[in-house]
Amino acid sequence: MNTILPPQEFKKMPGIRKPGTHVSEDALQAYISEVEMLYIKPLVGDEFYITLATDTEGKYAGLLEGCEYSDRRGNRRFCPGLKTAIAYYAYSQYVMAGDVESTRYGFRLKEEEYSSRISSKERSELYNNTLQVASGYLSECRTYMSEVLGLRFEGSPKITGSFTIRKIG
């Protein structure tokens, strides 16, 4: 399956948060595929999603890579690019599941001799922060699609996936 953001490109993107260098491309592909199915395809629809994932001519380079543009009122705006939004959503997936392994004994956390584990609260805060950045970038991409490409969307943008842990008990 083609994805809009290939894992090799994700690893090389400058100026964004990325998983560690030893994370396999297969794992990154899983995170990217999940993100594109959960956040991108429902927003743009199946047909346009397939068009974006197979855009070899660069017709949608501004949307995919990011660009500066003028809106209908003549104001200068900036679209960070759909690939950047996908990268941040994929990173948030990695934050929540990156060091968990499924074994025959159930789910286990990977341990390193010279590292310390972050708490569940810190992980949740990092996840929520990264998800908020990704949602902001996707919102800017949505504005670009509306202003420049003339796409129309029903309802308001749907931001899902973040959660808050409250005191239990």
Side-chain angles (χ1 to χ4, degrees):
M1 177 178 108
N2 285 345
T3 55
I4 294 171
L5 178 62
Q8 310 87 325
E9 194 174 330
F10 179 28
K11 284 183 157 184
K12 295 177 184 175
M13 289 178 77
I16 65 162
R17 301 179 207 181
K18 292 183 261 262
T21 56
H22 299 293
V23 177
S24 74
E25 286 188 7
D26 287 342
L28 291 179
Q29 182 65 54
Y31 299 137
I32 292 168
S33 295
E34 290 170 6
V35 162
E36 290 186 7
M37 290 301 118
L38 288 172
Y39 298 100
I40 308 305
K41 193 171 78 75
L43 176 68
V44 300
D46 288 52
E47 190 172 330
F48 191 52
Y49 172 77
I50 293 168
T51 300
L52 291 174
T54 57
D55 180 28
T56 56
E57 300 168 15
K59 184 178 178 183
Y60 297 103
L63 172 62
L64 295 173
E65 307 294 337
C67 67
E68 188 176 295
Y69 68 97
S70 294
D71 65 14
R72 292 185 198 123
R73 293 167 296 289
N75 298 322
R76 289 176 58 192
R77 307 239 358 194
F78 179 74
C79 171
L82 204 50
K83 289 182 179 181
T84 302
I86 292 167
Y88 272 91
Y89 276 119
Y91 182 76
S92 70
Q93 293 288 94
Y94 169 74
V95 165
M96 288 308 285
D99 59 353
V100 176
E101 288 290 326
S102 176
T103 70
R104 66 182 177 163
Y105 302 108
F107 290 99
R108 300 285 185 246
L109 291 174
K110 296 180 203 168
E111 293 289 338
E112 270 298 312
E113 188 175 335
Y114 299 106
S115 64
S116 59
R117 186 142 322 276
I118 64 171
S119 71
S120 293
K121 182 181 182 216
E122 291 169 323
R123 182 185 293 236
S124 174
E125 288 171 355
L126 179 59
Y127 172 77
N128 286 334
N129 173 267
T130 308
L131 203 60
Q132 186 176 12
V133 171
S135 296
Y137 285 163
L138 186 58
S139 178
E140 290 296 325
C141 292
R142 180 185 162 126
T143 301
Y144 175 87
M145 287 185 277
S146 177
E147 294 283 335
V148 176
L149 302 178
L151 297 178
R152 298 289 168 243
F153 303 96
E154 297 295 323
S156 61
K158 190 170 161 186
I159 299 173
T160 60
S162 64
F163 59 91
T164 303
I165 296 176
R166 302 196 190 282
K167 185 176 178 183
I168 299 172

